[in-house]
Amino acid sequence: MSCAEILEAVARGRADDPSVANHLAVCPDCRARAESARALGRYLADPVMWEEPSPVLADRVLSAIDTESGRKDRPPRWWKLAGAVAVLCALVAGGWTWANRPDWTVELAPGPSAPQAGGVVKGWNQPHGTRMVLEVWGLDPADDGSYYELWLTAPDGRHVSAGTFRDSGRFEVVAGVRRSDFPRIWVTLEPADDDPGPTSRTVLDLPDA
Amino acid sequence: MDRFRRGDHEAVRELYDLYSRPVFAIALRSLGDRVLAEEVVQQTFVNAWRASSRFDPDLDPAPWLYAIARRVAVDVYRRERRHREGRREETDMAVLPPSFEGLWEVWEVRAAVDGLPKDEREVIEATFYRQLTHSEAAAELGIPLGTVKSRSHRAFRRLAGFLDHLGTETA
């Protein structure tokens, strides 16, 4: 066996095989590299080396960056335009109104920190998360050093941030969780600090929250 | 990086295609939850976009993205722990569990595995991860036994060449 084959055998947990052990006994170079080969073998047997993120995650990342950058209408490339036309035709043929209808809509009531505010969230359930369009009115522009943040919260108190914004308006956001698991939707005014959780400054919330 | 900074979809997609799996791997290793790991991936690329004006485009983006991803994973871990245990910041929140150790090695191995040609990667996946023998892998992949062995040896040499420092660091 060559040194490369010996190291592969070590990585596969066969260091005690007589032929491998004999080689290691007389080859200082392989002995020096054996621990690295064992570590590589352990990593290659680890599921995290093979698990794939969901295929829609790339679109969620793009959407989140678009939302952050405040981009609304990006000029499509010609082939995307052609695809969009085809999809539009299909939607018209199949009933656009039905196809575009959100899976759910909730109204948000003003919270103690913004009694004049209001909002509506429309949501589309997707295989690996939720796409939402949030319309907010009556909020003052956030001061420098603060921003508004949309949260989804589970019954056990876990929070997931669905996006941030700085003023009233219409925003599209995507969250990597299902609304059925995270039923509460609410908005807080957040200081720009390192605390990843919501503060107690609620500006919008479900009426029955 | 200029195109990424402008939010150019193709540039974001290129960076995502190159690094999303290593980000996902360290997030999954550290948090042990697919939903949270995907949240880390999304937030990592958003944070990278926010910070891209401060990144030197002549540098390798991998260590930069790794640092962002690890920080996001730590934040998510602490948030989940706070909610699970119902308390605010405490001194022991500074202590991270063992799942956060050695994450740079996880990143390096995942990046190296993803860099293998597809035919070599599927042989390594079959024989190391699913623990198939070379003969079983040949039957499952529908290729000759000799081809499985040659691809396996070639892929392993490639990986070992990239990763000959494994087990010598505690990153």
Side-chain angles (χ1 to χ4, degrees):
Chain A
M1 293 172 83
S2 68
C3 287
E5 289 168 329
I6 291 294
L7 291 173
E8 186 177 345
V10 171
R12 294 183 185 281
R14 289 171 31 219
D16 294 333
D17 285 6
S19 59
V20 178
N22 291 341
H23 182 106
L24 288 173
V26 298
C27 179
D29 188 43
C30 282
R31 273 204 308 280
R33 296 165 64 191
E35 188 49 45
S36 171
R38 280 191 195 92
L40 178 54
R42 285 194 297 272
Y43 279 120
L44 293 176
D46 187 331
V48 305
M49 296 302 157
W50 307 101
E51 290 264 346
E52 294 282 330
S54 67
V56 299
L57 186 56
D59 288 336
R60 279 166 38 199
V61 168
L62 289 168
S63 176
I65 289 176
D66 275 356
T67 302
E68 285 264 331
S69 64
R71 188 174 328 222
K72 296 286 192 300
D73 299 311
R74 180 186 301 278
R77 294 166 62 105
W78 70 267
W79 54 271
K80 287 184 178 173
L81 184 60
V85 169
V87 169
L88 185 60
C89 292
L91 287 176
V92 169
W96 182 86
T97 303
W98 178 85
N100 198 43
R101 182 184 300 162
D103 294 309
W104 47 265
T105 300
V106 294
E107 291 191 17
L108 298 179
S113 296
Q116 76 287 6
V120 172
V121 185
K122 296 176 181 175
W124 288 262
N125 302 326
Q126 298 181 329
H128 300 282
T130 308
R131 182 171 77 87
M132 290 169 283
V133 172
L134 166 69
E135 290 189 62
V136 183
W137 56 87
L139 286 179
D140 295 329
D143 296 332
D144 286 346
S146 66
Y147 53 87
Y148 297 108
E149 189 155 14
L150 177 68
W151 299 94
L152 277 74
T153 298
D156 62 6
R158 285 179 298 147
H159 305 292
V160 169
S161 170
T164 61
F165 54 98
R166 297 185 56 82
D167 203 350
S168 295
R170 185 173 185 274
F171 311 95
E172 180 173 346
V173 296
V174 178
V177 297
R178 291 184 291 269
R179 172 91 199 287
S180 54
D181 298 328
F182 287 74
R184 184 184 175 194
I185 298 182
W186 54 309
V187 177
T188 57
L189 179 62
E190 294 293 321
D193 57 17
D194 289 333
D195 186 345
T199 65
S200 58
R201 300 195 63 184
T202 304
V203 297
L204 291 167
D205 207 338
L206 295 178
D208 55 354
Chain B
M1 192 53 75
D2 278 346
R3 288 165 51 229
F4 176 70
R5 196 175 301 153
R6 290 196 303 270
D8 179 289
H9 273 199
E10 285 185 20
V12 174
R13 187 75 199 218
E14 284 170 22
L15 205 68
Y16 180 89
D17 286 345
L18 275 173
Y19 296 111
S20 59
R21 291 180 181 86
V23 172
F24 184 67
I26 68 166
L28 193 56
R29 161 60 70 82
S30 56
L31 299 170
D33 182 294
R34 278 191 64 90
V35 171
L36 295 178
E38 293 197 351
E39 182 188 347
V40 169
V41 174
Q42 178 170 332
Q43 198 57 46
T44 294
F45 283 92
V46 171
N47 288 1
W49 174 79
R50 285 176 183 156
S52 56
S53 61
R54 299 193 296 277
F55 179 71
D56 180 349
D58 293 331
L59 298 178
D60 178 3
W64 176 68
L65 277 170
Y66 167 77
I68 294 172
R70 187 178 186 282
R71 174 59 197 268
V72 173
V74 168
D75 286 348
V76 169
Y77 166 75
R78 288 180 174 155
R79 181 195 71 198
E80 292 299 306
R81 187 172 162 192
R82 264 205 306 274
H83 294 314
R84 197 168 56 244
E85 301 181 4
R87 56 186 176 181
R88 299 292 294 175
E89 289 288 349
E90 292 178 13
T91 51
D92 66 350
M93 293 294 277
V95 179
L96 293 170
S99 63
F100 278 84
E101 293 171 6
L103 290 182
W104 177 242
E105 284 194 349
V106 172
W107 176 291
E108 285 185 300
V109 177
R110 180 70 200 240
V113 166
D114 292 335
L116 290 174
K118 182 172 179 294
D119 57 357
E120 293 180 13
R121 193 168 62 243
E122 65 187 14
V123 167
I124 292 292
E125 191 263 350
T127 57
F128 275 93
Y129 175 49
R130 289 191 283 136
Q131 305 280 308
L132 301 184
T133 64
H134 284 156
S135 299
E136 290 168 338
E140 179 163 315
L141 297 172
I143 53 179
L145 177 59
T147 304
V148 168
K149 288 183 176 177
S150 63
R151 286 179 186 171
S152 175
H153 296 331
R154 196 164 53 239
F156 187 81
R157 275 199 304 274
R158 216 190 292 268
L159 292 171
F162 289 138
L163 303 165
D164 61 358
H165 56 286
L166 291 183
T168 60
E169 296 175 359
T170 54

